[in-house]
Amino acid sequence: MIAPSILSADFARLADEVAAVPGADWLHVDVMDAHFVPNLTIGLPVVEALLRVTDIPLDCHLMIDDPDTWAVRYAEAGAHNVTVHVEAAADPVRIAKQVRAEGARAGLSVKPNTPLEPYVELLRHYDTLLVMSVEPGFGGQKFIPEVLAKVRAARRLVDGGELTVLVEIDGGINEDTIEQAAAAGVDCFVAGSAVYGAADPAATVAGLRRAAAAASGRN
């Protein structure tokens, strides 16, 4: 699965930018509050507007200080997947239950330096694990390959039946890094500048998907 990140899109032309990736599986929306991360992007009103102009499922990544208040609102609005950070959530089990009750998938994200092991039991309440492969906050950063150890650990847990999460990765994904991420066991790849910095975003999405499928061997 390929999820283009609109963080790298032209914010003045978001509807057109969304229309430029018709083959995308999800559309990744980075919500930042300038507190949890040092950047300020978009919020719920923009997500509601996007839902009116696209059928691509929205993958909302909340990089905010108060996900306990806000996560369910994105689910209520119609987001397909709502991801919160374990480092910010006060009651992540409650968040997951609220988000799922609204018919959305619940996602849990970990920063590059956050270990996976303490949160394995918590992930049983979630549908998606988002592994950050850059420090959250800004697009265009260099991929951190060390996070792939967490991906491999998650893949083993999923393949062994201990977890049922979809494994997603976000940060520095492009034609040079997607193969190693796919080989490690990623299911869904967030790609921002690699897609929206390309002359043909739709063709880039298709190319990234082919590369990931070939490297994963799981198709």
Side-chain angles (χ1 to χ4, degrees):
M1 295 173 60
I2 306 297
S5 172
I6 63 168
L7 181 63
S8 298
D10 182 349
F11 278 19
R13 302 173 50 253
L14 277 184
D16 292 335
E17 295 282 66
V18 170
V21 289
D25 298 285
W26 289 355
L27 190 70
H28 193 78
V29 182
D30 287 309
V31 177
M32 306 184 194
D33 64 357
H35 295 283
F36 181 70
V37 292
N39 195 7
L40 181 66
T41 56
I42 59 179
L44 188 56
V46 174
V47 168
E48 290 170 338
L50 288 173
L51 285 163
R52 293 193 292 269
V53 299
T54 185
D55 292 328
I56 302 174
L58 296 193
D59 177 26
C60 293
H61 179 191
L62 308 188
M63 288 173 270
I64 62 176
D65 263 352
D66 189 15
D68 294 77
T69 296
W70 286 98
V72 69
R73 300 187 189 183
Y74 285 83
E76 290 169 345
H80 178 71
N81 188 74
V82 181
T83 294
V84 301
H85 269 267
V86 71
E87 303 90 353
D91 190 343
V93 173
R94 178 172 172 268
I95 291 174
K97 289 179 178 179
Q98 288 180 327
V99 168
R100 284 172 149 185
E102 293 299 329
R105 297 173 60 97
L108 192 69
S109 184
V110 290
K111 291 182 178 182
N113 292 325
T114 299
L116 180 65
E117 290 77 11
Y119 306 108
V120 170
E121 287 301 317
L122 181 57
L123 281 167
R124 300 187 194 285
H125 299 274
Y126 280 83
D127 305 291
T128 305
L129 166 65
L130 175 58
V131 176
M132 293 301 300
S133 42
V134 299
E135 285 297 329
F138 295 93
Q141 296 185 65
K142 186 177 180 181
F143 181 79
I144 301 173
E146 288 78 10
V147 305
L148 293 180
K150 283 187 282 191
V151 171
R152 296 186 190 98
R155 184 82 261 152
R156 288 192 294 270
L157 291 169
V158 172
D159 291 347
E162 296 179 60
L163 290 177
T164 58
V165 293
L166 177 147
V167 182
E168 185 176 13
I169 197 165
D170 180 6
I173 295 298
N174 54 42
E175 60 182 7
D176 296 321
T177 58
I178 196 167
E179 291 184 358
Q180 56 184 303
V186 172
D187 299 302
C188 183
F189 306 82
V190 177
S193 53
V195 171
Y196 282 111
D200 188 337
T204 299
V205 168
L208 289 171
R209 183 182 290 109
R210 287 193 298 271
S216 71
R218 292 181 291 119
N219 295 321

